[in-house]
Amino acid sequence: MILQPSAATTSRYAAGLAAAACALLVGCAGAPKSPPRLEIDRSIQAQSQNSRVEFVVLHYTSASNERSLELLSRRNVSSHYLITDEPRPRVYQLVDESRRAWHAGVSQWFERTDMNSASIGIEIVNPGGAGLDWAPYSDAQIETLLLLLKDIVQRHQIKAYNIVGHSDIAPQRKVDPGPLFPWKKLADAGLGRWYDETLAAQYRGEFERKGLPDVRWVQGQLERLGYDAPKNGRLDKATRKVIAAFQMHYRPRLYDGLPDAETLGILKSLP
């Protein structure tokens, strides 16, 4: 048998429910409100924009595949890409292109000094070298690099003269990717700046007949092409290092840092 509650009991129960509801409402009124959800409309994109990436900087690692991966992923240095020296080279992307890799260090190209902020760094596994003893790059590595570069340059619309080596942007500190790096092969594929060989030979002949211009002219021409060259008119150690970096890029058979007629012919012929 189910007992029916009395009218008094029902009244007290209803009053208790009302009091509890009132307390709950008071408590809710005093609680902080959740912030509104941020909604961003990305359906319209501005036409006036371009990529933040203006440069590609090429390096060698001076280390093995395993050591290069360790250094570039776990130490205080990094690059966007690493190309191994395996028979079939593997390409690792270690840093997203939208982010800043730490590969250029203290450097300059034209007026840009913070190269890391506007460049993509590509490291190639190669032991490097010194003097006359340098390790070559494999054909497979260069073919892989060409494919990677074509994709990067097309997506970011990078100008030919902004495809550079670490030695170009930091000639006082760096020599990579070294004199055996095939810059002309890249240029022949439309990836990088090269000179008119006929015009360079013509200028070389003029310098041989009429004599070489002074060092201040050489420094000015190097600056015109993007190099951070001294402006003191002296063939000092710093100037010779910049000339050597230029020679390593455009006349790699001899990179002694001396402004001879052949070097200056090439220098003058470059657009």
Side-chain angles (χ1 to χ4, degrees):
M1 180 176 67
I2 300 174
L3 298 175
Q4 297 293 330
S6 65
T9 301
T10 302
S11 177
R12 287 195 301 272
Y13 180 70
L17 284 177
C22 182
L24 181 62
L25 288 173
V26 171
C28 290
K33 294 183 179 180
S34 299
R37 196 177 84 175
L38 178 64
E39 294 185 1
I40 300 175
D41 190 335
R42 296 184 173 89
S43 63
I44 301 172
Q45 293 291 298
Q47 292 183 354
S48 300
Q49 61 174 295
N50 59 2
S51 174
R52 292 179 182 270
V53 178
E54 299 178 56
F55 314 94
V56 175
V57 182
L58 303 176
H59 311 253
Y60 61 52
T61 62
S62 297
S64 66
N65 292 321
E66 295 76 13
R67 180 63 172 161
S68 297
L69 277 170
E70 179 190 357
L71 290 171
L72 293 169
S73 63
R74 300 179 182 177
R75 301 298 178 91
N76 196 33
V77 63
S78 60
S79 67
H80 294 89
Y81 296 97
L82 171 69
I83 299 175
T84 69
D85 67 352
E86 297 161 296
R88 185 176 180 180
R90 183 178 299 185
V91 179
Y92 289 91
Q93 183 170 10
L94 305 174
V95 178
D96 189 87
E97 289 183 8
S98 65
R99 297 183 64 81
R100 188 176 184 269
W102 301 353
H103 63 97
V106 178
S107 53
Q108 181 172 337
W109 191 242
F110 291 103
E111 298 301 317
R112 173 74 72 166
T113 54
D114 185 6
M115 292 294 292
N116 282 337
S117 294
S119 66
I120 287 176
I122 301 176
E123 291 271 3
I124 306 169
V125 174
N126 180 285
L132 299 176
D133 186 17
W134 296 85
Y137 295 85
S138 72
D139 291 339
Q141 281 181 309
I142 299 305
E143 292 303 321
T144 301
L145 174 63
L146 289 174
L147 292 173
L148 177 59
L149 270 178
K150 285 178 181 177
D151 176 57
I152 292 171
V153 168
Q154 182 177 22
R155 285 187 290 104
H156 296 286
Q157 296 297 296
I158 296 171
K159 296 178 174 62
Y161 52 76
N162 285 337
I163 301 174
V164 294
H166 205 181
S167 56
D168 293 314
I169 65 172
Q172 307 302 325
R173 301 185 301 113
K174 298 294 182 178
V175 294
D176 57 311
L180 295 188
F181 185 80
W183 287 108
K184 189 176 186 304
K185 185 170 184 177
L186 266 64
D188 288 343
L191 299 166
R193 178 172 59 187
W194 201 249
Y195 60 94
D196 183 320
E197 296 182 8
T198 301
L199 188 58
Q202 176 186 323
Y203 288 138
R204 175 183 179 176
E206 291 178 4
F207 289 137
E208 288 174 340
R209 291 191 305 273
K210 300 178 181 179
L212 302 180
D214 61 21
V215 175
R216 194 176 298 277
W217 180 91
V218 177
Q219 292 171 336
Q221 289 296 304
L222 288 165
E223 183 181 29
R224 173 181 70 84
L225 296 177
Y227 290 88
D228 180 22
K231 305 174 181 63
N232 54 22
R234 299 193 305 272
L235 189 60
D236 53 14
K237 183 178 180 180
T239 299
R240 288 190 61 172
K241 282 191 172 184
V242 181
I243 295 172
F246 174 83
Q247 291 169 329
M248 210 174 270
H249 192 130
Y250 295 102
R251 206 268 309 267
R253 65 175 181 80
L254 180 60
Y255 44 93
D256 56 6
L258 296 177
D260 55 57
E262 183 182 22
T263 299
L264 300 193
I266 296 170
L267 185 62
K268 187 175 178 180
S269 68
L270 278 161

